[in-house]
């Protein structure tokens, strides 16, 4: 019997479409910033109003397009994610029912609870927080690079180089994050297992006087989980800081 499909790397058609729509929203935001900036600078020179009409219309168009595309992208993304979550839960329960209770091996109730609830939520949540934003960013980067290169090839090369630098930083961050996910999942399962034992068998534990020892063990496991979460947060913060440094360097190069 085959188990449930817990892979996270599949890029389905609904997610791809949501990513493209999100890329259009990002590109509209970039275009809004550029057009409104040009309009402010140009208006300070007090030219003939007809000179500014195209930029004025562009600001209005991009200002309406960005939230419209963003709202459309959120609808598509959450529809796809919720449908996938329902499918994965059905697959998981279908795989577990024939195994219970004798063929689950060393898996306890806490492990099953964590796997069915938290792990599946994390897998599907990654589609909303990682897959679709990654596709959107690539689409917006492609549009921005093409338009910028059409105006100035040198600036276009800087934008392309910036995108490659951000991509490299992101790939390193993903690799580090993936390595820590297994340890983080094990630590979370340990905390859930001990907490489940304390609550489900409180009477028996109190009778044999094992409560303080289990609570101390829970504190140790919780501290380990907290340390892993903090390490993961530091890695994310370093990656975000490196991206900001890359963006600042690109801005300085373009200004020069």
């Amino acid at each position: 019997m085959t188990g449930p499909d817990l892979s996270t790397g599949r890029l389905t058609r609904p997610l791809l479409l949501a990513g493209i729509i999100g890329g259009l929203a990002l590109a509209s935001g970039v275009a809004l910033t550029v057009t409104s900036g040009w309009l402010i600078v140009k208006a300070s020179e007090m030219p003939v109003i007809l000179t500014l009409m195209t930029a004025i219309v562009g600001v209005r168009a991009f200002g309406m397009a960005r939230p419209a595309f963003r709202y459309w992208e959120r609808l598509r993304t959450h529809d796809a994610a919720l449908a996938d979550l329902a499918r994965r839960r059905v697959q998981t329960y279908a795989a577990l029912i024939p195994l219970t209770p004798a063929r689950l091996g060393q898996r306890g109730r806490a492990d099953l609870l964590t796997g069915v609830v938290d792990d599946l939520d994390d897998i599907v949540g990654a589609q909303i927080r990682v897959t679709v934003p990654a596709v959107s960013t690539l689409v917006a980067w492609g549009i921005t690079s093409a338009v910028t290169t059409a105006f100035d090839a040198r600036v276009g090369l800087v934008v392309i180089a910036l995108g490659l630098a951000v991509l490299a930083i992101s790939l390193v961050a993903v690799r580090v994050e993936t390595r820590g996910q297994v340890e983080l999942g094990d630590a979370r399962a340990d905390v859930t297992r001990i907490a489940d034992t304390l609550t489900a068998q409180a009477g028996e534990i109190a009778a044999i006087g094992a409560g303080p020892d289990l609570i101390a063990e829970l504190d140790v496991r919780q501290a380990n989980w907290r340390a892993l979460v903090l390490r993961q947060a530091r890695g994310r913060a370093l990656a975000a800081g490196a991206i900001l440094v890359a963006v600042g360097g690109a801005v300085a190069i373009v200004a020069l």
Side-chain angles (χ1 to χ4, degrees):
M1 177 180 178
T2 58
D5 177 21
L6 296 181
S7 60
T8 59
R10 296 189 309 112
L11 181 60
T12 61
R13 179 178 296 181
L15 291 178
L16 179 60
L17 178 59
I20 294 174
I21 297 172
L24 294 177
L26 287 175
S28 298
V30 173
L32 175 63
T33 302
V34 173
T35 307
S36 59
W38 182 90
L39 180 61
I40 293 172
V41 173
K42 194 67 177 178
S44 65
E45 301 174 0
M46 292 183 292
V48 180
I49 189 62
L50 292 177
T51 308
L52 306 177
M53 288 304 299
T54 301
I56 293 173
V57 174
V59 169
R60 291 177 178 176
F62 295 132
M64 292 186 293
R66 181 177 63 173
F69 281 127
R70 180 61 64 197
Y71 181 70
W72 189 13
E73 176 263 320
R74 292 297 170 86
L75 287 179
R76 302 289 305 197
T77 301
H78 284 78
D79 284 345
L82 291 175
D84 190 37
L85 179 60
R87 178 183 62 82
R88 290 176 185 270
R89 283 180 174 173
V90 170
Q91 288 182 345
T92 302
Y93 282 115
L96 288 176
I97 289 174
L99 300 179
T100 55
R103 296 172 59 193
L104 291 175
Q106 299 298 320
R107 299 180 182 89
R109 182 168 60 181
D111 294 333
L112 294 179
L113 180 63
T114 300
V116 172
V117 179
D118 294 335
D119 291 348
L120 287 180
D121 286 346
D122 287 345
I123 291 171
V124 176
Q127 298 175 352
I128 300 176
R129 298 189 296 267
V130 179
T131 304
V132 173
V135 174
S136 300
T137 303
L138 289 174
V139 171
W141 175 40
I143 295 174
T144 304
S145 300
V147 174
T148 306
T149 303
F151 281 95
D152 192 318
R154 296 171 301 173
V155 178
L157 289 176
V158 175
V159 173
I160 294 173
L162 172 62
L164 293 175
V166 171
L167 179 61
I169 295 171
S170 301
L171 290 176
V172 173
V174 168
R175 187 175 182 84
V176 174
E177 181 97 0
T178 303
R179 288 180 177 178
Q181 281 298 326
V182 176
E183 296 179 355
L184 191 63
D186 292 341
R188 182 171 59 189
D190 289 340
V191 171
T192 305
R193 173 177 54 80
I194 298 175
D196 180 71
T197 302
L198 281 169
T199 54
Q201 303 177 18
E204 294 85 347
I205 293 173
I208 63 176
D213 292 336
L214 279 177
I215 292 175
E217 179 68 16
L218 180 61
D219 290 338
V220 172
R221 301 292 183 177
Q222 182 71 34
N224 180 49
W225 185 14
R226 179 176 182 273
L228 291 173
V229 171
L230 288 177
R231 188 177 68 182
Q232 191 178 61
R234 292 190 190 98
R236 293 174 180 174
L238 289 174
I243 290 175
L244 291 177
V245 171
V247 172
V251 171
I253 293 173
V254 171
L256 291 175

